[in-house]
Amino acid sequence: MTKVGIAGFGTIGAAVARHLREGRNGMELVAVTSGTRAKAEAKLAQLDIEVPVVAAVQLADMAEIIVECAPTGAFMEIVVPALERGRQIVTVSAAALIENMAVIDIARSTGGRVIMATGALLGLDAVRAAAVSEIFSVTMITRKPPKSLLGAPEVVRQDIDLMKLTEPTLLFDGSARDGARGFPANVNVAAALALAGIGPDRTRLQIWADPSLERNTHFITVDADSARFELKIENIPSVEKPGTGRITALSMIAALDGLTAPLRVGS
């Protein structure tokens, strides 16, 4: 059995744990790490899963694959020791990754690997294929219900009362890199798009708070020498964390299963 650890035990981590509880594809959950041990232990008990809650360094020693779904601030604490031990990391934290690309050098030197799950974004295979040749431009317009953007650093900086908005309001217009800094918990999709395509500085991003919406919506346009295509996705927010779409946890599970499945569809 392949030993799997989960770093971060919120909405996504719990969904992955429920999946691993069934022992699918020869994978076994061996431990989790969390910034709130008591809550993690209570959630494990609720799920009827008996594994320890350990520190990030211990998790790196125990697990061959680590599912990273922790808050952005814990990214390096989790990823560095795991990659130093040559582990595989499955993550959706693209916003944290583009600010800490030095971890790829660690992976290269130890044989470790960082696997970016597609998260809430469709079409990354097409973007990656286009990037093999030349992409001229990539733009992404994200529209979210105001509650999905509560607490974002850029919202706090602008001192916007999101819950009093009565019409769509543009919160950000710039590069994916700057957008990831201003909305680290909200634009992993844009950061993943940037990593798949022309990078975080050339990828253009708009972020809107739209009180008329109930779903997190992303509209992407890619113009390349091989194709021009448009992508649109409307993600249903999770109940526990509206800023995270329900499909994000499913994407994490699909990426994890793909590591051992005899058939893998998509590049």
Side-chain angles (χ1 to χ4, degrees):
M1 297 283 280
T2 300
K3 296 180 179 179
V4 179
I6 298 175
F9 208 59
T11 302
I12 297 173
V16 174
R18 284 192 294 268
H19 182 74
L20 289 172
R21 182 176 56 189
E22 310 302 325
R24 302 187 182 192
N25 286 335
M27 292 186 177
E28 173 191 12
L29 179 62
V30 295
V32 305
T33 187
S34 172
T36 51
R37 175 184 290 269
K39 288 184 179 180
E41 289 176 341
K43 189 172 291 186
L44 284 167
Q46 184 180 18
L47 295 173
D48 195 25
I49 296 174
E50 295 183 8
V51 297
V53 180
V54 301
V57 172
Q58 292 175 285
L59 192 70
D61 287 328
M62 298 171 68
E64 300 162 78
I65 299 171
I66 294 175
V67 176
E68 189 283 316
C69 45
T72 302
F75 182 79
M76 293 295 280
E77 176 187 350
I78 293 161
V79 170
V80 170
L83 291 178
E84 286 177 342
R85 290 157 177 78
R87 305 308 192 190
Q88 295 191 79
I89 305 289
V90 180
T91 181
V92 291
S93 299
L97 181 58
I98 63 174
E99 291 295 301
N100 298 281
M101 290 299 289
V103 299
I104 304 304
D105 294 328
I106 300 175
R108 186 178 293 112
S109 67
T110 63
R113 192 180 183 200
V114 179
I115 298 156
M116 182 62 59
T118 55
L121 181 64
L122 81 170
L124 283 190
D125 275 3
V127 178
R128 288 179 57 210
V132 173
S133 186
E134 183 177 4
I135 296 178
F136 305 124
S137 65
V138 179
T139 60
M140 176 172 174
I141 299 173
T142 289
R143 294 178 178 269
K144 291 192 172 189
K147 65 180 180 181
S148 296
L149 295 159
L150 290 171
E154 181 62 18
V155 172
V156 174
R157 188 190 71 79
Q158 294 185 38
D159 193 25
I160 298 173
D161 189 342
L162 292 174
M163 302 315 293
K164 289 185 178 180
L165 296 180
T166 58
E167 60 184 22
T169 301
L170 179 63
L171 302 178
F172 175 82
D173 186 357
S175 71
R177 184 185 299 278
D178 289 339
R181 290 169 178 164
F183 299 83
N186 299 99
V187 295
N188 278 317
V189 285
L193 176 67
L195 289 170
I198 55 177
D201 296 310
R202 291 180 59 200
T203 301
R204 309 309 299 171
L205 172 66
Q206 284 188 0
I207 300 174
W208 293 74
D210 189 338
S212 70
L213 294 180
E214 295 183 358
R215 298 185 178 188
N216 302 327
T217 303
H218 310 290
F219 183 78
I220 299 149
T221 302
V222 179
D223 188 15
D225 64 353
S226 58
R228 187 180 191 280
F229 49 94
E230 297 178 345
L231 311 168
K232 182 180 180 181
I233 185 168
E234 297 180 3
N235 294 318
I236 299 173
S238 59
V239 175
E240 303 89 343
K241 188 177 180 182
T244 299
R246 295 183 190 178
I247 200 170
T248 304
L250 300 178
S251 171
M252 212 50 144
I253 291 168
L256 186 62
D257 285 350
L259 296 179
T260 58
L263 171 64
R264 178 176 174 175
V265 179
S267 59

